[in-house]
Amino acid sequence: MAVTKEEGPRFKTIQKFKADYAPATFSQYESTRTGMRVVVVDQKGPKLYGYFALATEIHDDSGAPHTLEHLCFMGSKSYKYKGVLDKLATRAYSTTNAWTATDHTAYTLETAGWDGFAQILPVYLEHVILPTLTDSGCITEVHHIDGTGHDAGVVYSEMQAVQNTQSELMDLRARRLMYPEGIGFRYETGGMMEALRSLTADRIRQFHRDMYQPKNLCLVLIGAVDHQNMLEILDRFEDTIIDDIPPPDAPFQRPWTESKQAPPLERTVVDKITFPEEDESAGEISIGFLGPDCTDHKLTTALDVLLSYLAGSAVTVLENTLVEKEQLCSMVWYQSDVRPSMVIWFILTGVETGKLEAVERRFFEVLRETASKPLDMDYLSECRKRFSRQIKYNTEGSANFFADTVIQDHLFGKRDGSDLRTLESLKVIDDLGEWDDEQWRSFMRQWLSDAHHISVIGVPSAEMSKKLNSEEKARVIAQKERLGEDGLRKMQERLDAAKADNDREIPKSLFQQFKVPGTESIHFIPTTTARSGLARNMGRLDNDIQRIVDKEASDSPLFIHFEHIPSNFVAVTLVMSTSPVPVHLKPLLSLYIMNFFATPVLKDGKRIEFEDATVELEGDTVGYTFEPGPGNSELLQVRFQVEPEKYETAIKWIKTYLFDSVFDETRLKASLAKMLADIPEEKRSGSQMLRAVDSMIHFSQLSSSRARNILSKALYLKRLSRLLEEEPKRVLSDLETVRKSLCHFSNFRVLVVSNIERLANPVSAWQALTTGLNTSEPLRPLDKVKDVISDKGRSPGGNSYIVPIQAIDSSYALLTSKGLDSYWHPKLPALMVATSYLDAVEGPMWAAVRGNGLAYGTSFLRSVEAGWFSFSIYRSPDAFKAFQAAREQVEGFANGTQEFDELALEGAISSIVMSFADTQPTMGSAAACSFVDQVVTALGKGYKDDMLKRVRTVKVEEIKEVMREVVLPVFKPETTDFVLTCAPIMQESLVTNFEQAGFKPKVEPLASFYDDYGLAGKEGEDDMDEDEDEDEEGEFEDENEADKHAAHLPDEVAREY
């Protein structure tokens, strides 16, 4: 029965409360009809974030949870068409996505403004609760055999790419050892390939009936939500589903909390596993413990603090001993998984293969030694306080900070809302200040040093890669023989029929029911700019914040750009250009950056060792980094986040690390050892190596981003390490040259983001930096990307490279041609609309490429700074077929044989609005965007508003013109360069097919792109890699997807600009 106006929405309020440490208010509701739950986190910002989470538990490796996640996007009871949800969402300034974790499935909706969110919400929820789940959808999305006898399907291809990677193999083995049969955390919810090949549609439908009930669903909404409107929408939605769902009062076993619980570990197990990798020099160690009850807020918080104390930075006991001093691994990192009993993981990366077992034993020696002696209670107290500061800061810096915690409460928390209520305060962190040394050590012994654990030692194996490839070849051959010609023909007919069924045209009348929402409910975050010193040359400003800055008497000419926001913290950034660094020393920037905060310093003439300096630094800050950017990878930025009373202290630290750090031979060796140990793992990624090779081709040696590229580091750092042993003074001198090149007044620009009204001495505090500097130097212009492009980068066309990589089983491609080179180019608005149209979810590229299983995703990329236009293909079983399908689509639009859909063009413009909202979802990001727009790119603060007006006036003929002049050339051999990484087994066919298409691809190993920047190797010594054998065949790439399978939208292959 439909709800009457008098009745009102049938949702009860469980609780409402405001966090006392963050600008967030929580409201929890529950439907009195179905039991569906809603948690709203009210926050200001232009975007709404929705997470529709279901607890999903399964006791097999069938992949039913993961496949169901995909199939929910294929249509619903009222919208029986594949792609209708995403096409509607695109028009409403929205994007959808989903992931499958071990313990839940979450569907996401991100929207600019409430009006669009409200429009899509009931449509999306129907897809989740009442999906079509057709046989045709299962055939294309889950698994099928094509007419050539090969296995495919979107989910199957996704899992094929990760099943035999290092991370997946180690994670699954660890969980198999930790949990017995019948405990859901033991299983691979993404689906094992052998199980996916036999998974039926009926099994998926049954899993949906079991798990996808409203009483098992929690909607987490974050942003500026209209509560009354939301409850009315949900009430009407329940009217439409009530007759199609299981009776709300039917018995239901709540997943995880009412299931059989995992027993404690009864013994310690150390196991060894091999993973396919041609470079057998380094492996990895994974160590797992079962921890306290996840609903014991005090113990889980104590665990967070203790883990930070043990391995939170370079000065903590595990990291400092195993990485910095003994150099046994490149990193010790930790994570805790929220389960009924928490799971604690330590991962030791970059471990020399011959020392793996010894390093695992050494880890426990250090851990037990730490527990046996008094702890450093002062540092532990600082870890606790810093943990609190970081939470407060992150609530401002991340628009969706609370999402995971609310989802975890839905999975494991008490239904009365009492566990969720712990988000109201951080008092528990303060309460832990009462624990004494013995309490902390007892806690450590109970859950870590004296506890049973699981250790999995990952050993690289070149032989395994060959074995897996051989076995897969044999399996496919046997499958073809079993099916025979007639069977293969039937398989193809079955697949073609499924595609035809899935791709039925969506009636335009359906879209016409949904008008494009207005932009009135999109509330972009305002910031106020003020300028001091040389920044005033950009123009004088007239506002209250500028008057505050002007009132402060200061003669400092330092370029300071202020952005005023209502923050409780101060973010300070010092920006430098890298062009002053001599070309032959630019690769040293990698070491300089790595060592920047990991080195001794001088304070008042006294040397302070890096451990002591770091402890003091951590006590004064919320966070600090030294990294590329902002808005341009040729720049570097020193960034500090502090509380307002530490503003001047942060400036003093910047001065100390810029000018008074000590280049220490021992510390440099430790940093180099970590960097070298990480290189083998980095080279296992096809997408990362694609970007790396492209950078080596299209940037010149003048580029600092190229010099920091792994293909520069791979050879240069080896030789540098030897040089540091043999001629340390030369290395120290070179680093001093790098420092002097960067650190001078004329190369400094400062950004201060804070509540300027509450900031003491916003300008004069910077005298701590400028005292002693030559402030009469003229300000250097900021580096420009266009100045560091190579000759090939200036005139792309005719350069084609195929790079086989042993550790991957897929292919990746990046094609680059000339693009538009100005943000004010009259054709830029049309190009933005064209690429938004092509890239739309369920749009032309999606349908032609992903929809036919030719790649996991594609995207068009533009770099106005470099004047490039690019097209990327991500994780494809055959990058040529994906390229061919994409080219046909573009040709059709360019020559007029394909018509533009008016409704889809509206969606393309809405996507551009959404992309602008994506860049500034929080106060801090809005302030950073303002700085980049005004200072780095010189676009001005109103550029985005102006561009939104311009894209709305773009005509179809203008789009066709840029299709012909800009987009289509990226597919032509004479006007585009392409780089392709692939499994060696794919090499031959890719070369043949691209040659037939007019390209002249060269097959090159990664090592052929190395650059030593003139740092010669030792005479008679071969320090090139030994893992570049083109004749070897390898498989499987580490995409680090052990737990989550974000399976709806592709990851983009993008350059850093």
Side-chain angles (χ1 to χ4, degrees):
M1 182 180 72
V3 64
T4 65
K5 188 174 182 180
E6 289 74 18
E7 288 177 321
R10 283 159 284 192
F11 280 79
K12 66 180 181 181
T13 302
I14 297 175
Q15 61 183 333
K16 289 191 176 187
F17 60 89
K18 186 180 186 306
D20 64 10
Y21 56 92
T25 301
F26 297 79
S27 303
Q28 187 175 24
Y29 304 98
E30 182 179 72
S31 168
T32 58
R33 282 193 289 178
T34 68
M36 180 169 63
R37 294 202 150 203
V38 185
V39 176
V40 178
V41 185
D42 284 299
Q43 292 183 161
K44 292 181 179 179
K47 289 183 64 177
L48 273 294
Y49 298 84
Y51 301 85
F52 313 145
L54 299 116
T56 45
E57 180 176 2
I58 197 166
H59 294 168
D60 60 41
D61 299 319
S62 66
H66 184 195
T67 55
L68 179 55
E69 172 222 313
H70 280 253
L71 292 171
C72 282
F73 291 93
M74 300 290 285
S76 69
K77 178 185 176 183
S78 304
Y79 309 94
K80 300 179 185 295
Y81 300 94
K82 172 179 175 285
V84 67
L85 172 63
D86 285 303
K87 290 185 177 183
L88 288 171
T90 298
R91 287 162 50 82
Y93 316 118
S94 302
T95 60
T96 69
N97 207 333
W99 72 73
T100 301
T102 302
D103 53 15
H104 72 278
T105 303
Y107 297 84
T108 67
L109 175 63
E110 295 185 14
T111 307
W114 170 253
D115 291 347
F117 193 96
Q119 185 183 91
I120 298 302
L121 178 60
V123 180
Y124 201 159
L125 291 179
E126 185 181 284
H127 278 72
V128 174
I129 299 299
L130 301 177
T132 52
L133 301 183
T134 64
D135 289 344
S136 295
C138 291
I139 290 169
T140 59
E141 289 295 303
V142 180
H143 171 263
H144 59 262
I145 300 171
D146 63 21
T148 67
H150 290 86
D151 299 86
V154 176
V155 175
Y156 186 84
S157 298
E158 181 184 347
M159 296 312 297
Q160 184 181 46
V162 301
Q163 181 165 311
N164 289 291
T165 61
Q166 170 195 310
S167 58
E168 180 76 1
L169 289 167
M170 293 183 67
D171 172 75
L172 189 60
R173 177 63 65 87
R175 289 190 285 119
R176 297 283 208 236
L177 294 172
M178 185 170 285
Y179 296 108
E181 292 280 355
I183 302 296
F185 299 113
R186 170 186 176 88
Y187 302 98
E188 175 47 76
T189 54
M192 303 294 284
M193 284 188 290
E194 53 272 25
L196 288 169
R197 289 195 288 265
S198 59
L199 179 62
T200 65
D202 284 340
R203 175 70 182 94
I204 299 170
R205 294 180 187 120
Q206 183 60 54
F207 184 77
H208 183 272
R209 281 192 293 271
D210 293 342
M211 293 289 162
Y212 278 50
Q213 299 187 30
K215 68 182 72 175
N216 191 33
L217 172 65
C218 180
L219 312 184
V220 184
L221 276 59
I222 301 175
V225 176
D226 183 330
H227 287 241
Q228 184 62 28
N229 185 219
M230 173 201 70
L231 294 174
E232 290 169 353
I233 290 168
L234 294 178
D235 196 79
R236 290 194 296 270
F237 168 70
E238 289 195 333
D239 288 340
T240 67
I241 66 168
I242 197 71
D243 294 332
D244 295 292
I245 61 173
D249 57 355
F252 178 76
Q253 177 177 290
R254 186 181 174 193
W256 306 117
T257 61
E258 296 175 3
S259 306
K260 177 184 175 183
Q261 296 300 298
L265 291 174
E266 297 180 350
R267 62 192 180 97
T268 288
V269 179
V270 180
D271 198 12
K272 188 181 292 186
I273 190 169
T274 55
F275 61 88
E277 171 57 68
E278 187 65 22
D279 185 343
E280 297 183 329
S281 63
E284 191 164 294
I285 301 168
S286 177
I287 300 167
F289 305 82
L290 287 178
D293 186 328
C294 71
T295 62
D296 190 323
H297 192 45
K298 188 168 188 176
L299 293 187
T300 57
T301 304
L303 183 62
D304 286 329
V305 174
L306 180 61
L307 292 174
S308 176
Y309 174 86
L310 292 173
S313 75
V315 300
T316 53
V317 60
L318 290 172
E319 182 86 5
N320 189 252
T321 303
L322 301 176
V323 179
E324 303 295 338
K325 292 179 179 176
E326 299 179 6
Q327 298 175 22
L328 296 175
C329 55
S330 64
M331 184 183 296
V332 178
W333 63 272
Y334 65 85
Q335 72 177 46
S336 55
D337 292 344
V338 178
R339 306 285 185 254
S341 293
M342 297 287 293
V343 183
I344 305 137
W345 299 105
F346 288 95
I347 310 295
L348 283 64
T349 63
V351 182
E352 188 177 327
T353 302
K355 297 180 179 179
L356 281 163
E357 293 174 68
V359 172
E360 192 271 346
R361 291 193 297 270
R362 179 61 180 145
F363 173 90
F364 282 97
E365 290 174 2
V366 175
L367 193 62
R368 288 166 185 147
E369 182 182 353
T370 302
S372 69
K373 301 185 302 185
L375 303 178
D376 182 340
M377 291 301 291
D378 289 339
Y379 183 61
L380 183 57
S381 176
E382 184 47 52
C383 288
R384 177 180 58 80
K385 294 174 183 176
R386 193 161 193 260
F387 179 58
S388 178
R389 292 197 299 271
Q390 289 175 331
I391 290 176
K392 293 174 184 177
Y393 180 77
N394 288 333
T395 62
E396 289 187 7
S398 173
N400 52 3
F401 174 80
F402 293 105
D404 283 344
T405 305
V406 178
I407 291 173
Q408 290 156 3
D409 176 77
H410 174 62
L411 301 180
F412 309 118
K414 297 181 184 67
R415 300 293 281 182
D416 64 4
S418 57
D419 289 321
L420 185 67
R421 191 87 185 195
T422 59
L423 290 173
E424 186 173 20
S425 168
L426 300 181
K427 182 177 179 298
V428 67
I429 302 177
D430 297 329
D431 292 344
L432 288 171
E434 299 174 3
W435 279 22
D436 60 22
D437 174 77
E438 181 50 41
Q439 284 175 290
W440 280 108
R441 286 198 289 144
S442 175
F443 182 77
M444 189 192 310
R445 288 191 293 267
Q446 178 181 1
W447 299 113
L448 296 174
S449 61
D450 293 353
H452 290 304
H453 63 274
I454 300 297
S455 290
V456 175
I457 296 174
V459 182
S461 168
E463 188 59 37
M464 183 180 180
S465 182
K466 300 173 187 175
K467 180 174 178 288
L468 287 169
N469 185 52
S470 175
E471 290 175 349
E472 177 63 7
K473 279 184 176 179
R475 188 192 67 78
V476 173
I477 289 171
Q479 181 164 271
K480 290 179 180 179
E481 292 175 350
R482 174 174 56 80
L483 290 170
E485 288 188 17
D486 188 53
L488 291 173
R489 178 181 54 78
K490 289 179 179 178
M491 286 293 172
Q492 187 61 48
E493 290 173 352
R494 176 174 177 261
L495 175 59
D496 292 341
K499 287 181 178 179
D501 186 37
N502 291 336
D503 295 336
R504 287 174 296 128
E505 185 176 356
I506 305 171
K508 287 190 176 181
S509 59
L510 192 154
F511 293 115
Q512 290 166 350
Q513 301 172 31
F514 296 83
K515 302 300 181 185
V516 176
T519 57
E520 295 80 10
S521 68
I522 305 174
H523 304 296
F524 287 96
I525 300 173
T527 68
T528 304
T529 301
R531 295 167 180 154
S532 176
L534 292 173
R536 293 171 187 258
N537 294 338
M538 296 182 63
R540 299 193 67 83
L541 300 172
D542 182 16
N543 58 61
D544 291 343
I545 304 305
Q546 184 65 58
R547 282 185 278 277
I548 291 173
V549 170
D550 290 343
K551 282 180 182 178
E552 190 181 359
S554 174
D555 297 327
S556 173
L558 181 66
F559 184 109
I560 309 178
H561 179 109
F562 294 95
E563 288 290 337
H564 171 74
I565 58 173
S567 174
N568 293 314
F569 296 89
V570 187
V572 177
T573 303
L574 185 140
V575 179
M576 299 178 285
S577 291
T578 57
S579 54
V581 178
V583 170
H584 73 286
L585 296 182
K586 283 189 185 291
L588 261 184
L589 283 168
S590 294
L591 179 58
Y592 180 71
I593 293 169
M594 172 68 83
N595 192 67
F596 191 78
F597 287 114
T599 193
V601 298
L602 298 175
K603 294 189 79 172
D604 300 323
K606 179 182 177 183
R607 174 171 167 139
I608 302 175
E609 295 306 321
F610 106 93
E611 292 91 347
D612 296 326
T614 303
V615 169
E616 188 178 347
L617 178 62
E618 290 179 352
D620 286 335
T621 63
V622 176
Y624 52 89
T625 57
F626 186 34
E627 60 192 7
N632 178 344
S633 61
E634 295 302 310
L635 306 177
L636 293 178
Q637 54 182 335
V638 184
R639 303 178 64 213
F640 278 77
Q641 300 86 39
V642 296
E643 294 170 305
E645 59 270 23
K646 295 286 188 178
Y647 175 55
E648 189 168 352
T649 303
I651 297 169
K652 291 176 180 177
W653 277 117
I654 291 174
K655 174 79 173 279
T656 296
Y657 279 102
L658 287 175
F659 295 100
D660 298 324
S661 60
V662 177
F663 295 123
D664 178 82
E665 187 178 337
T666 301
R667 296 299 311 132
L668 291 169
K669 287 179 179 178
S671 293
L672 266 175
K674 286 190 288 184
M675 295 167 73
L676 287 166
D678 282 336
I679 287 174
E681 183 176 355
E682 290 184 58
K683 291 197 299 182
R684 293 171 194 149
S685 169
S687 59
Q688 286 187 45
M689 291 305 97
L690 180 78
R691 294 192 295 271
V693 171
D694 179 81
S695 173
M696 300 303 287
I697 294 168
H698 289 124
F699 286 99
S700 73
Q701 286 191 332
L702 295 172
S703 165
S704 62
S705 61
R706 181 186 188 274
R708 300 191 309 270
N709 185 324
I710 185 176
L711 299 180
S712 296
K713 293 190 295 185
L715 188 57
Y716 186 92
L717 293 185
K718 283 183 181 180
R719 294 177 178 176
L720 184 65
S721 180
R722 189 199 68 245
L723 189 65
L724 187 58
E725 291 286 350
E726 298 175 356
E727 299 181 59
K729 290 183 179 180
R730 176 181 163 186
V731 176
L732 299 183
S733 175
D734 285 347
L735 282 166
E736 196 60 53
T737 300
V738 170
R739 188 215 304 265
K740 289 178 179 177
S741 300
L742 292 171
C743 303
H744 47 89
F745 177 84
S746 64
N747 198 32
F748 292 162
R749 285 171 176 82
V750 169
L751 166 65
V752 178
V753 178
S754 185
N755 185 333
I756 308 301
E757 295 172 336
R758 299 181 183 177
L759 202 59
N761 307 318
V763 179
S764 60
W766 285 94
Q767 291 175 2
L769 173 68
T770 58
T771 299
L773 301 184
N774 179 6
T775 58
S776 64
E777 297 175 342
L779 190 67
R780 290 182 58 90
L782 287 173
D783 291 344
K784 302 295 184 185
V785 171
K786 66 180 181 181
D787 295 332
V788 295
I789 295 172
S790 68
D791 290 340
K792 289 180 180 178
R794 295 185 192 284
S795 301
N799 303 296
S800 307
Y801 301 93
I802 292 178
V803 184
I805 297 178
Q806 289 284 27
I808 67 176
D809 80 323
S810 198
S811 61
Y812 303 78
L814 183 61
L815 298 97
T816 301
S817 62
K818 289 284 285 184
L820 307 182
D821 59 2
S822 168
Y823 284 104
W824 303 103
H825 197 291
K827 294 181 180 178
L828 182 57
L831 181 61
M832 292 172 66
V833 176
T835 55
S836 181
Y837 184 92
L838 292 170
D839 277 340
V841 178
E842 296 295 345
M845 291 296 122
W846 180 286
V849 181
R850 178 174 168 127
N852 287 312
L854 301 180
Y856 193 71
T858 65
S859 61
F860 288 98
L861 314 165
R862 62 181 183 276
S863 170
V864 174
E865 296 90 344
W868 291 328
F869 185 77
S870 303
F871 177 67
S872 75
I873 299 169
Y874 179 81
R875 196 191 289 164
S876 169
D878 187 331
F880 178 75
K881 288 182 179 178
F883 160 83
Q884 199 172 33
R887 182 184 61 188
E888 289 173 1
Q889 289 293 310
V890 173
E891 286 175 338
F893 287 112
N895 62 30
T897 57
Q898 286 207 71
E899 294 294 326
F900 287 93
D901 182 273
E902 183 180 346
L903 297 174
L905 283 172
E906 290 179 350
I909 294 171
S910 296
S911 292
I912 295 170
V913 175
M914 180 64 173
S915 70
F916 284 176
D918 282 339
T919 63
Q920 45 190 310
T922 65
M923 296 185 296
S925 59
C929 282
S930 180
F931 175 77
V932 170
D933 286 347
Q934 295 181 72
V935 178
V936 179
T937 57
L939 296 176
K941 205 162 186 177
Y943 176 80
K944 289 185 174 67
D945 291 335
D946 179 70
M947 183 56 72
L948 284 176
K949 293 176 184 176
R950 294 169 68 194
V951 298
R952 292 184 187 280
T953 64
V954 168
K955 303 292 190 295
V956 169
E957 283 307 314
E958 294 177 272
I959 301 173
K960 289 182 179 179
E961 185 178 0
V962 295
M963 285 277 197
R964 291 190 295 270
E965 296 179 4
V966 182
V967 182
L968 191 55
V970 85
F971 296 95
K972 295 182 176 180
E974 65 274 14
T975 52
T976 195
D977 292 344
F978 89 72
V979 177
L980 189 151
T981 56
C982 66
I985 195 175
M986 299 177 174
Q987 169 189 319
E988 185 177 347
S989 64
L990 287 169
V991 169
T992 299
N993 288 329
F994 274 105
E995 283 179 342
Q996 291 175 353
F999 292 87
K1000 298 177 181 179
K1002 300 176 183 177
V1003 178
E1004 301 281 2
L1006 279 175
S1008 69
F1009 299 97
Y1010 288 177
D1011 190 344
D1012 61 12
Y1013 283 73
L1015 184 61
K1018 198 170 184 178
E1019 189 174 350
E1021 182 178 68
D1022 183 11
D1023 51 9
M1024 298 289 283
D1025 283 1
E1026 299 175 358
D1027 62 339
E1028 302 295 345
D1029 187 347
E1030 296 177 48
D1031 298 324
E1032 299 288 347
E1033 293 181 351
E1035 295 235 349
F1036 306 104
E1037 171 183 2
D1038 181 1
E1039 291 295 340
N1040 194 25
E1041 298 185 54
D1043 191 43
K1044 288 186 178 180
H1045 306 285
H1048 189 45
L1049 290 177
D1051 296 324
E1052 288 194 355
V1053 179
R1055 294 187 182 91
E1056 274 190 345
Y1057 293 134

